[in-house]
């Protein structure tokens, strides 16, 4: 049976089509989900794509968190549904309290767009099992509200529990505390990161590498072997 992976579109989402293509390239069936529809249409996993949902008014992801689709997604994520939040999707996950912490304006106050080197810190999540711990990958990064922050107790817990999924290498692009680029929940089914793996799945686009494809092949293998 084909794995179905949904990609949610909010007003202002920019990278939903890229995420849908990444799902297709990885070998799963991409399913478009609309933010006002509570029905997840029996998908096996969900991607919250990047962009500027609702223009990032109030705070990035703050309004999207209350879209009807999130009511269902929050409930099912807590029950084990795999969810990947990329950039704005990561911001939405923190606003929905599916992941701890918050995203602030980059410390240099500028939009940044570049290829970003990352180190895989946790290869045991539903979205990272095709990588190895310590592996270095390069995927595009583009954000203005990308500075991950949390109180010291939360940061210490993330470190102690192995829930820092990715860390920036070769310079911190936005001032994120402890160079954190992505984190996971305790169960490993919800992962959020600021860089964009969906832009690095084919050699002719993005970085010219396929370093981001592992996110999507990981979840397919996880679901097929479940």
């Amino acid at each position: 049976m084909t794995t179905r992976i949904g990609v949610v579109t909010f007003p202002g989402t920019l990278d939903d089509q890229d995420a849908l293509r990444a799902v297709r390239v990885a070998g799963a069936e991409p399913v478009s989900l609309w933010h006002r529809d509570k029905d997840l249409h029996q998908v096996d996993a969900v991607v919250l794509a990047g962009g500027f949902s609702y223009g990032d008014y109030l705070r990035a992801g703050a309004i999207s968190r209350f879209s009807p689709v999130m009511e269902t997604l929050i409930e099912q994520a807590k029950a084990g549904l795999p969810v990947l939040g990329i950039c704005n999707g990561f911001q939405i996950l923190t606003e929905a309290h599916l992941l701890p912490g918050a995203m602030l304006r980059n410390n240099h106050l500028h939009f940044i767009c570049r290829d970003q080197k990352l180190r895989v810190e946790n290869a045991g999540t539903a979205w990272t099992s095709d990588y190895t711990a310590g592996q270095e990958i390069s995927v595009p990064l583009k954000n203005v509200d990308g500075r991950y922050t949390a109180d010291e107790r939360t940061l210490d817990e993330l470190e102690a529990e192995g829930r820092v999924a990715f860390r920036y290498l070769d310079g911190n692009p936005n001032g994120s505390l402890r160079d954190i680029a992505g984190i996971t929940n305790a169960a490993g089914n919800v992962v959020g990161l600021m860089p964009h793996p969906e832009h690095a799945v084919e050699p002719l686009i993005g970085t010219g590498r396929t370093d981001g494809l592992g996110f999507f092949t990981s979840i397919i293998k996880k679901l097929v072997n479940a």
Side-chain angles (χ1 to χ4, degrees):
M1 192 164 103
T2 304
T3 301
R4 291 164 48 84
I5 300 178
V7 177
V8 180
T9 299
F10 300 91
T13 298
L14 300 179
D15 298 306
D16 46 349
Q17 295 304 309
D18 300 82
L20 289 164
R21 184 179 65 245
V23 168
R24 186 179 300 109
V25 169
E29 178 185 347
V31 179
S32 296
L33 301 175
W34 181 237
H35 75 112
R36 294 194 67 180
D37 185 0
K38 288 185 178 183
D39 189 350
L40 297 182
H41 299 279
Q42 298 180 315
V43 296
D44 303 299
V46 172
V47 176
L48 298 178
F52 300 89
S53 60
Y54 288 96
D56 280 350
Y57 292 123
L58 301 182
R59 290 182 310 276
I63 299 176
S64 296
R65 176 259 180 274
F66 294 101
S67 287
V69 72
M70 290 301 297
E71 181 180 334
T72 308
L73 188 144
I74 290 170
E75 178 183 342
Q76 294 197 20
K78 290 179 178 178
L81 178 74
V83 179
L84 176 66
I86 303 170
C87 196
N88 190 234
F90 185 12
Q91 295 160 343
I92 294 169
L93 289 177
T94 61
E95 290 287 340
H97 305 297
L98 286 173
L99 292 174
M103 311 305 299
L104 302 178
R105 185 63 50 95
N106 295 344
N107 60 346
H108 45 73
L109 304 181
H110 296 289
F111 180 84
I112 187 168
C113 182
R114 73 184 197 191
D115 290 345
Q116 179 63 49
K117 197 172 183 180
L118 304 174
R119 182 172 63 241
V120 180
E121 301 283 36
N122 184 336
T125 79
W127 298 92
T128 60
S129 60
D130 259 5
Y131 299 103
T132 57
Q135 183 177 349
E136 296 181 5
I137 63 175
S138 179
V139 296
L141 173 78
K142 49 177 186 173
N143 64 70
V144 70
D145 294 299
R147 178 161 51 112
Y148 181 75
T149 187
D151 59 70
E152 286 298 309
R153 178 178 177 181
T154 298
L155 292 170
D156 289 343
E157 287 179 354
L158 290 172
E159 300 277 14
E161 296 173 7
R163 291 171 53 195
V164 175
F166 299 91
R167 227 180 285 268
Y168 294 116
L169 294 179
D170 295 346
N172 188 321
N174 46 36
S176 289
L177 296 180
R178 305 194 189 182
D179 298 330
I180 291 173
I183 61 174
T184 177
N185 67 344
N189 64 302
V190 179
V191 171
L193 78 162
M194 286 310 296
H196 287 262
E198 79 281 14
H199 294 325
V201 298
E202 297 175 295
L204 292 179
I205 60 170
T207 61
R209 301 161 56 126
T210 58
D211 290 11
L213 188 59
F215 284 83
F216 305 96
T217 56
S218 292
I219 189 59
I220 292 172
K221 291 178 182 177
K222 169 72 174 178
L223 293 166
V224 168
N225 296 324

